[in-house]
Amino acid sequence: QVQLVESGGGLVQAGGSLRLSCAASGRAINNFAMSWFRQAPGKEREFVTTISANGVIRNYSNSVAGRFTISRDNAKNTMYLQMESLRPEDTAVYYCAAKGGGTSRNTGSYDYWGQGTQVTVSS
């Protein structure tokens, strides 16, 4: 079993930056693909970005490409999301997720989820 805990959310002005962390426990994540998803009130959960187990492959949704950067430190059993040039439409609860095998953009493919952390971007 893997437990995931997000941190680093908060309130930031449009154009600002924020760094989220996802700490894993229970077992090592070095063989898991990991991803970030987000969900705004009244909206479906949507894919944000994913990273392969060894960190070589990274993919982003069109809405965040060029602004967000995903990374991981398997020695620390932690994944990160660096968010820059934030916009009000980025406001959402951000969730980290993990799965065996390769990367995926589908929420149903993931075995483990964190509790989420709130990101609010003001105009």
Side-chain angles (χ1 to χ4, degrees):
Q1 295 293 316
V2 178
Q3 293 78 48
L4 304 174
V5 179
E6 303 94 336
S7 62
L11 176 64
V12 64
Q13 292 184 337
S17 300
L18 205 61
R19 186 175 190 248
L20 306 183
S21 298
C22 175
S25 61
R27 62 182 296 178
I29 61 169
N30 57 291
N31 290 321
F32 288 87
M34 300 190 71
S35 299
W36 290 95
F37 293 82
R38 67 187 183 186
Q39 188 167 22
K43 304 295 184 180
E44 293 185 338
R45 192 186 310 164
E46 68 171 339
F47 168 80
V48 177
T49 180
T50 187
I51 186 168
S52 60
N54 62 7
V56 172
I57 299 172
R58 297 172 172 85
N59 289 298
Y60 300 88
S61 69
N62 291 337
S63 62
V64 308
R67 300 187 298 121
F68 291 9
T69 303
I70 189 171
S71 62
R72 66 192 296 161
D73 187 338
N74 287 343
K76 295 182 178 180
N77 229 33
T78 303
M79 177 184 62
Y80 306 95
L81 181 64
Q82 180 67 41
M83 305 183 294
E84 299 180 352
S85 301
L86 283 162
R87 305 165 180 169
E89 53 263 42
D90 294 319
T91 296
V93 177
Y94 283 70
Y95 298 91
C96 65
K99 65 182 291 293
T103 58
S104 173
R105 294 170 177 252
N106 303 127
T107 59
S109 298
Y110 287 81
D111 302 304
Y112 305 103
W113 293 86
Q115 85 291 344
T117 186
Q118 177 71 47
V119 172
T120 302
V121 184
S122 62
S123 300

